[in-house]
Amino acid sequence: MLARHVEERLVILFRQSKVIGGLYRSLGQEGESVATAYALERTDAILPLIRNMGALMTMGVRPLEIFRQYMAKGTGNSRGRDLNIHIVHLPPAGANEPVIVGPISMLGDSISVAAGIAMGARMRAALPASRRAPGEDKKPPLVAMAWIGDGATSTGAFHEGMNFAAVQRIPLVVIAEDNKYAYSTPIARQMAIARIDERAAAYGIPHEMVDGNDMLAVYDVTKRMVVRARAGEGAALVGVDTMRMQGHAQHDDMRYVPKAVVDEWQQKDPLLRFRRVLVERRAATDKELDDVDRMTKAYAAGEADLAVNEPMPDPATVTRGVYAGDDFAVPRVELVKSPFAEDGSSA
Ligand SMILES: Cc1ncc(C[n+]2csc(CCOP(=O)(O)OP(=O)(O)O)c2C)c(N)n1
Ligand SMILES: [Mg+2]
């Protein structure tokens, strides 16, 4: 709900010309984004793409950080040098915090970066205690999770990254999102195989396909893959069957998608489905869920209002910090309460 409300607020800001650049929605994909990230521990690494607002919210990124970034504020994570969810969080070695690397590319290059992060963490864990930071030995072995679109799984960068992770038995879990389109290219013109998870057969790693709008099913499959990766059994791929319910970005009216397809997927909205499950199993009442809806909506609006009033970057500094070095501080975002317990284990 929070992911959806943050994006709804962004749409309002976009229409007011306060968002700089494009606005990319994850409408219809919030369920898989949240449920996959939920299978991680707080100290793991995530490499979300533009459709993974839910993963960022799950790992505890404060919504204010997202609004700042989308409006290119000088207070934002990339200080107005970059946009949307291109954020980075590199915590100190012993901290009980996630590593977050935003989209370095939509089209596959993030897989080898994710593999590198997990491989680096494995090498650090093998260092003698005297060479490690306080608290580092208490952290569970790091698992990296990267999300990737169906279109991106056709690229060479994706293949190279996956093969490398498989051969090196890297603790990497890749979430391949079949959301039916890559911009206007339908899935049938993207793959000659029936299911996106079958891509992984070529790398010799475990793979499974799951109903991406069933949050509990997504969580179960992903958790299994995360647990085996953490135990040293190597990389895996989860294919999620879902639907991009808006155009590629706000400027795209997706006239190339048949209306019947959109109507069909509307019935399978992940939030509505999970709500039904929670009420049926008496985990929550309709009233409680209405309250959560109202609270998250108000929270998103309040965070947006804070960001609107913050300053743009100082023009005198625009040439600084564009590339590494040059007084570029280690980037961090503010983290708030997340579903993870204080000791970093999942709730
Ligand atoms: C080299 C390059 N070409 C084109 C683009 C523009 N682009 C960004 S995302 C995208 C489509 C990605 O489709 P998919 O992988 O299915 O992800 P989805 O948008 O459906 O989540 C394109 C064409 C780009 N970012 N980089
Ligand atoms: Mg796609």
Side-chain angles (χ1 to χ4, degrees):
M1 283 181 187
L2 181 58
R4 185 164 291 183
H5 284 310
V6 165
E7 290 187 355
E8 298 279 346
R9 266 291 132 183
L10 283 167
V11 172
I12 293 169
L13 295 168
F14 182 83
R15 291 187 181 141
Q16 294 172 340
S17 300
K18 287 180 177 145
V19 162
I20 312 285
L23 170 57
Y24 306 88
R25 294 289 309 269
S26 66
L27 190 68
Q29 293 182 234
E30 300 97 334
E32 50 103 345
S33 248
V34 168
T36 47
Y38 218 103
L40 293 169
E41 306 280 318
R42 171 126 172 138
T43 50
D44 285 331
I46 61 164
L47 288 90
L49 297 181
I50 50 178
R51 318 259 179 240
N52 304 116
M53 182 72 81
L56 291 171
M57 296 297 103
T58 304
M59 297 312 271
V61 175
R62 184 172 172 180
L64 176 62
E65 298 278 7
I66 306 292
F67 290 115
R68 286 172 168 163
Q69 194 60 21
Y70 255 109
M71 289 188 276
K73 296 292 185 176
T75 47
N77 181 246
S78 61
R79 298 179 297 159
R81 271 70 171 167
D82 207 343
L83 297 167
N84 63 68
I85 67 149
H86 289 204
I87 58 167
V88 176
H89 184 70
L90 301 177
N96 174 24
E97 293 173 14
V99 173
I100 303 173
V101 176
I104 52 152
S105 158
M106 277 300 284
L107 297 186
D109 301 82
S110 55
I111 303 295
S112 43
V113 175
I117 291 169
M119 196 177 192
R122 187 167 70 187
M123 289 162 81
R124 267 193 84 85
L127 290 173
S130 60
R131 294 187 50 198
R132 303 176 70 209
E136 225 184 320
D137 54 333
K138 291 196 190 71
K139 287 175 30 168
L142 181 142
V143 172
M145 184 172 287
W147 290 259
I148 198 81
D150 43 82
T153 66
S154 298
T155 66
F158 172 78
H159 170 74
E160 289 171 29
M162 291 304 300
N163 192 55
F164 180 77
V167 169
Q168 297 287 340
R169 295 177 68 81
I170 289 172
L172 169 68
V173 177
V174 172
I175 313 301
E177 301 167 316
D178 170 1
N179 66 356
K180 309 296 168 278
Y181 287 87
Y183 213 127
S184 55
T185 304
I187 190 87
R189 305 199 68 181
Q190 199 68 250
M191 333 182 293
I193 49 176
R195 298 187 337 222
I196 197 168
D197 68 305
E198 290 171 352
R199 296 268 205 222
Y203 314 119
I205 59 171
H207 56 93
E208 237 175 280
M209 196 70 201
V210 66
D211 175 348
N213 290 12
D214 177 344
M215 292 185 71
L216 292 176
V218 173
Y219 174 81
D220 282 344
V221 172
T222 311
K223 186 77 184 178
R224 258 186 280 129
M225 299 302 196
V226 166
V227 165
R228 65 176 292 291
R230 204 181 304 285
E233 292 171 45
L237 183 142
V238 177
V240 293
D241 178 22
T242 186
M243 175 70 189
R244 193 193 71 197
M245 292 299 283
Q246 290 216 325
H248 178 69
Q250 287 296 296
H251 57 258
D252 169 21
D253 64 8
M254 68 172 193
R255 70 185 66 180
Y256 47 85
V257 180
K259 190 176 171 304
V261 174
V262 178
D263 291 348
E264 181 201 327
W265 282 91
Q266 197 77 52
Q267 305 304 313
K268 300 193 272 191
D269 179 77
L271 270 67
L272 289 178
R273 280 175 70 183
F274 194 46
R275 187 186 180 107
R276 267 202 297 276
V277 171
L278 290 173
V279 173
E280 265 166 33
R281 299 190 188 178
R282 293 172 195 252
T285 63
D286 270 315
K287 169 161 188 325
E288 282 167 335
L289 293 170
D290 287 344
D291 286 346
V292 174
D293 197 23
R294 253 192 308 276
M295 275 159 45
T296 47
K297 188 174 180 179
Y299 179 37
E303 294 283 275
D305 289 347
L306 286 179
V308 162
N309 294 316
E310 290 184 347
M312 299 303 279
D314 176 359
T317 69
V318 290
T319 59
R320 296 217 304 270
V322 176
Y323 298 101
D326 199 13
D327 80 356
F328 202 93
V330 175
R332 305 253 165 83
V333 289
E334 186 183 342
L335 299 168
V336 291
K337 200 171 175 307
S338 72
F340 300 94
E342 276 312 301
D343 65 0
S345 60
S346 30

